[in-house]
């Protein structure tokens, strides 16, 4: 009888689903699709290129997207433009100095203006952007898409898990990061427009 | 020699324009990394990769034009075999 009463009392407690745990998403993409596109539009010359050496981890809770935190890392040497010689110059000491500054990072600390509609969340991410050894606090707009149980579909059924897609468009100034400030602005624009499209995987 | 250089200059100029046109008449700078986009239908993202290649641009045309003009110029400096006969 006592056992029955305990079971009766505990039943509603057990029936309540446990709150979802935040998931950790790795952005090292086995499909090599993750990329950041950069565009510089100077009066005399436009430079377009992309970077695909992306890694990092983001913690995302589907029940509380506003608590998202993480760090995205881009290998400086993966920045490529259509001209091989120009790519070599860009990697050199005068510009990105990839030998001494091998990583470009953004570390997210806080999300503001969070709006969630279904599996999509838009927010302004407050964090620290580090380029060529110079760190600056920045706020950038992002769109997060949580794709539950889509990892297997993406990888051809190899693994089960969820995906988190992050998209963002923002700009930085190279002069803010000590990259040839005030020099050659007719050919290499000070403003660098960045478009980020990356997918992270949380395997189960 | 004079005639050969002139013909060579014309061949270089026409060849360069033809090659540039066949390769897509790129009005930008010469590209030696060719961009490829790979769509990912699950995420809606599009991956960008580069592979080695050659798409001539306006700088290629400029170099070819300079070479052709130089050859034509040198040919004008060469005395004609029959001159003075």
């Amino acid at each position: 009888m006592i056992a029955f009463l305990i079971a009766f009392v505990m039943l509603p407690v057990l029936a309540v689903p446990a709150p979802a745990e935040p998931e950790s998403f790795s952005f090292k993409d086995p499909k090599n699709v993750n990329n950041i596109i950069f565009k510089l539009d100077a009066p005399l010359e436009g430079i377009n290129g992309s970077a695909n050496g992306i890694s990092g981890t983001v913690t995302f809770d589907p029940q509380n997207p506003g608590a998202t935190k993480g760090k995205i890392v881009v290998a400086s040497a993966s920045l490529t433009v259509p001209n091989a010689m120009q790519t070599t110059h860009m990697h050199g000491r005068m510009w990105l100095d990839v030998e001494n500054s091998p990583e470009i990072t953004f570390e997210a600390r806080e999300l503001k203006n969070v709006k969630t509609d279904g599996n999509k969340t838009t927010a302004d991410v407050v964090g620290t952007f580090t380029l060529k050894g110079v760190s600056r606090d920045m706020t950038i707009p992002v769109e997060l898409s949580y794709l539950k149980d889509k990892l297997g579909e993406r990888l051809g059924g190899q693994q089960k898990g969820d995906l988190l897609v992050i998209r963002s468009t923002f700009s930085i100034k190279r002069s803010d990061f000590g990259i040839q400030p005030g020099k050659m602005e007719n050919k290499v624009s000070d403003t660098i427009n960045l478009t980020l499209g990356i997918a992270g995987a949380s395997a189960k | 020699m004079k005639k050969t250089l002139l013909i060579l200059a014309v061949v270089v100029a026409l060849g360069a324009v033809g090659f540039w046109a066949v390769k897509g008449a790129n009005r930008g700078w010469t590209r030696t990394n060719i961009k490829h986009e790979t769509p990912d239908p699950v995420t809606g993202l599009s991956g960008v990769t580069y592979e080695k290649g050659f798409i001539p641009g306006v700088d290629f045309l400029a170099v070819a034009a300079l070479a052709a003009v130089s050859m034509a110029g040198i040919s004008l400096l060469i005395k004609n075999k029959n001159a003075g006969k």
Side-chain angles (χ1 to χ4, degrees):
Chain A
M1 184 63 183
I2 292 167
F4 174 77
L5 278 173
I6 291 170
F8 185 76
V9 170
M10 289 298 289
L11 197 61
V13 176
L14 294 172
V16 174
E21 290 273 314
E23 292 182 51
S24 182
F25 291 85
S26 166
F27 282 81
K28 198 158 181 66
D29 184 9
K31 292 191 80 175
N32 205 24
V33 166
N34 285 352
N35 70 85
I36 295 172
I37 292 169
F38 55 91
K39 289 183 181 176
L40 293 83
D41 196 11
L44 295 180
E45 194 172 341
I47 300 170
N48 297 338
S50 68
N52 60 4
I54 294 164
S55 59
T57 307
V58 169
T59 306
F60 177 82
D61 182 353
Q63 307 301 319
N64 184 16
T68 302
K69 282 187 174 61
K71 185 177 180 181
I72 297 297
V73 180
V74 181
S76 307
S78 74
L79 271 74
T80 308
V81 292
N83 187 290
M85 195 181 285
Q86 207 171 31
T87 300
T88 306
H89 284 162
M90 181 177 67
H91 290 175
R93 276 192 178 191
M94 280 175 69
W95 298 98
L96 291 174
D97 193 10
V98 301
E99 200 177 313
N100 295 307
S101 305
E103 291 181 343
I104 300 165
T105 63
F106 183 78
E107 186 156 16
R109 289 193 307 272
E110 185 188 359
L111 264 66
K112 288 181 175 174
N113 305 321
V114 181
K115 288 173 192 152
T116 301
D117 182 14
N119 68 338
K120 282 195 177 171
T121 298
T122 57
D124 295 324
V125 184
V126 181
T128 306
F129 192 97
T130 303
L131 170 60
K132 208 181 176 185
V134 178
S135 296
R136 286 194 169 261
D137 282 351
M138 283 182 67
T139 301
I140 62 171
V142 293
E143 182 191 280
L144 308 167
S145 300
Y146 176 64
L147 305 176
K148 192 167 172 56
D149 298 326
K150 289 286 186 183
L151 179 61
E153 191 180 325
R154 185 169 192 246
L155 298 180
Q158 293 167 22
Q159 259 180 319
K160 285 185 176 176
D162 307 325
L163 293 169
L164 180 69
V165 181
I166 303 178
R167 290 182 177 86
S168 180
T169 300
F170 61 103
S171 61
I172 58 169
K173 287 188 183 293
R174 65 177 169 91
S175 55
D176 287 345
F177 297 90
I179 301 173
Q180 302 272 32
K183 289 184 184 168
M184 298 174 76
E185 288 185 359
N186 274 342
K187 283 187 165 185
V188 184
S189 163
D190 188 29
T191 302
I192 303 169
N193 298 306
L194 300 163
T195 303
L196 171 92
I198 55 175
S202 171
K204 285 178 180 168
Chain B
M1 182 70 175
K2 185 182 174 91
K3 199 174 174 184
T4 310
L5 266 177
L6 265 175
I7 292 169
L8 205 59
V10 172
V11 168
V12 166
L14 291 179
V17 172
F19 181 63
W20 173 77
V22 165
K23 284 285 196 173
N26 168 34
R27 289 181 196 178
W29 299 118
T30 295
R31 293 183 216 151
T32 47
N33 288 325
I34 313 300
K35 185 177 165 182
H36 290 284
E37 290 201 18
T38 317
D40 177 10
V42 176
T43 60
L45 300 175
S46 198
V48 177
T49 52
Y50 287 92
E51 68 177 39
K52 297 275 178 221
F54 187 78
I55 296 178
V58 289
D59 49 334
F60 171 82
L61 283 181
V63 170
L66 188 69
V69 167
S70 302
M71 281 189 277
I74 292 167
S75 78
L76 291 176
L77 296 175
I78 296 172
K79 277 188 179 175
N80 201 326
K81 256 186 187 176
N82 300 324
K85 278 188 182 177

